[in-house]
Amino acid sequence: MSGCNPRVVLTIEGDTAFLTLRHKESLNAIDDAAVEQIYAACRVVEKNTTVRAMVITGDGEKTFSAGGDIKAWAGLTPQEFGRHWIRRGHDAFDAVARLRVPVLAVLNGHTFGGGLELAAAADLRIAEMHVKFGLPEAGLGVIPGWSGTQRTVRRFGPSVVRRMAIFGEVLTAEQAVAAGIVEVLVEKGEGLAKASEIIATLRSRAPIATEVVKMLINAAEGEEVSRVLDTVAAMSVAYTEDLAEGVAAFRDKRKPKFKDS
């Protein structure tokens, strides 16, 4: 997203949206502005019916994201920390996880804390060989507050999350693949090319079916079950002649004649 203090840049190229963390001075750490810009970018992508996939990556080669920016939250009161920092981070990352299109995270640099929580919100993770992974929050006296003990457990499993979040283990890219954190491993600098290759295959698949399949998988994981059920059910009803008749009857101020079709 553009603005006077951009931390996140959204670009749309054809049918693919690219969300880039762009604050190399802080190792792409995620601050208040980045949180709001991630959320806003998801709203833009959600409304753009030409977009078939979104790619999240980091600017530079060293770090995808070092996590939540300590300078942004260290001085907050407990109330501010919970009500604003944690809650708004959840809003932004939930928007990524629940986006109607598939999301690919290209992890082209080290991925720690909030950076890993953001990657966990994607549907597929592509890591370059030099990348390391961790959840270091407890070493700072804080917890992984952007679903680092919830969505990460649902998607990666409790064992590896315990290793990182409780015992402070840092994983190599190869270990992350073995642990199920990363699905695709590529050489340094090849992450975006691999994402483009995967999206080319995705284009051959029906977009509505893909959207519904993603929602159903999210529901199976416990990712806002009620919204998914309501959405799928509403889409099914919207295809019926009964709906067209109901709308026409309302417009004509008459009783509807439903045919169960």
Side-chain angles (χ1 to χ4, degrees), residues 12 32 36 48 56 63 76 87 98 117 159 165 180 203 206 215 230 235 257:
I12 296 177
D32 302 69
E36 297 301 330
N48 189 325
I56 304 175
T63 308
L76 299 177
R87 188 174 295 176
R98 298 165 188 172
E117 291 169 310
S159 178
R203 292 189 184 103
M215 285 193 293
D230 285 348
M235 289 172 70
K257 299 177 181 179

Side-chain angles (χ1 to χ4, degrees), residues 198-250:
I198 292 171
I199 292 170
T201 301
L202 187 64
R203 292 189 184 103
S204 67
R205 304 178 69 79
I208 294 177
T210 299
E211 178 181 353
V212 173
V213 166
K214 173 174 175 173
M215 285 193 293
L216 291 172
I217 293 171
N218 278 355
E221 288 184 319
E223 188 73 60
E224 202 178 18
V225 177
S226 60
R227 182 189 71 96
V228 173
L229 290 176
D230 285 348
T231 301
V232 173
M235 289 172 70
S236 299
V237 171
Y239 281 106
T240 65
E241 292 182 13
D242 280 351
L243 175 63
E245 168 61 14
V247 172
F250 177 81

Side-chain angles (χ1 to χ4, degrees), residues 10-18 42 44-56 96 98-104 123-124 195-214:
L10 175 67
T11 57
I12 296 177
E13 300 177 13
D15 62 0
T16 305
F18 292 88
C42 287
V44 172
V45 172
E46 191 71 30
K47 294 177 181 179
N48 189 325
T49 57
T50 66
V51 172
R52 292 288 309 274
M54 185 169 81
V55 175
I56 304 175
V96 173
R98 298 165 188 172
L99 206 60
R100 63 175 179 80
V101 299
V103 179
L104 290 74
D123 298 292
L124 185 76
S196 295
E197 180 184 319
I198 292 171
I199 292 170
T201 301
L202 187 64
R203 292 189 184 103
S204 67
R205 304 178 69 79
I208 294 177
T210 299
E211 178 181 353
V212 173
V213 166
K214 173 174 175 173

Side-chain angles (χ1 to χ4, degrees), residues 106-244:
V106 174
L107 309 174
N108 56 341
H110 299 323
T111 303
F112 293 109
L116 183 54
E117 291 169 310
L118 176 58
D123 298 292
L124 185 76
R125 284 150 291 278
I126 303 168
E128 298 184 1
M129 288 287 293
H130 63 292
V131 177
K132 294 183 179 180
F133 299 82
L135 290 169
E137 286 88 346
L140 297 171
V142 71
I143 67 166
W146 290 335
S147 214
T149 60
Q150 304 300 308
R151 182 178 290 119
T152 56
V153 169
R154 295 196 299 269
R155 296 195 170 181
F156 307 149
S159 178
V160 68
V161 175
R162 282 191 176 96
R163 287 162 56 191
M164 293 186 293
I166 295 177
F167 298 102
E169 186 173 346
V170 175
L171 304 183
T172 65
E174 292 93 337
Q175 290 172 322
V177 171
I181 294 174
V182 169
E183 288 81 13
V184 182
L185 187 61
V186 297
E187 295 294 331
K188 185 175 182 179
E190 295 181 2
L192 285 173
K194 186 63 179 179
S196 295
E197 180 184 319
I198 292 171
I199 292 170
T201 301
L202 187 64
R203 292 189 184 103
S204 67
R205 304 178 69 79
I208 294 177
T210 299
E211 178 181 353
V212 173
V213 166
K214 173 174 175 173
M215 285 193 293
L216 291 172
I217 293 171
N218 278 355
E221 288 184 319
E223 188 73 60
E224 202 178 18
V225 177
S226 60
R227 182 189 71 96
V228 173
L229 290 176
D230 285 348
T231 301
V232 173
M235 289 172 70
S236 299
V237 171
Y239 281 106
T240 65
E241 292 182 13
D242 280 351
L243 175 63

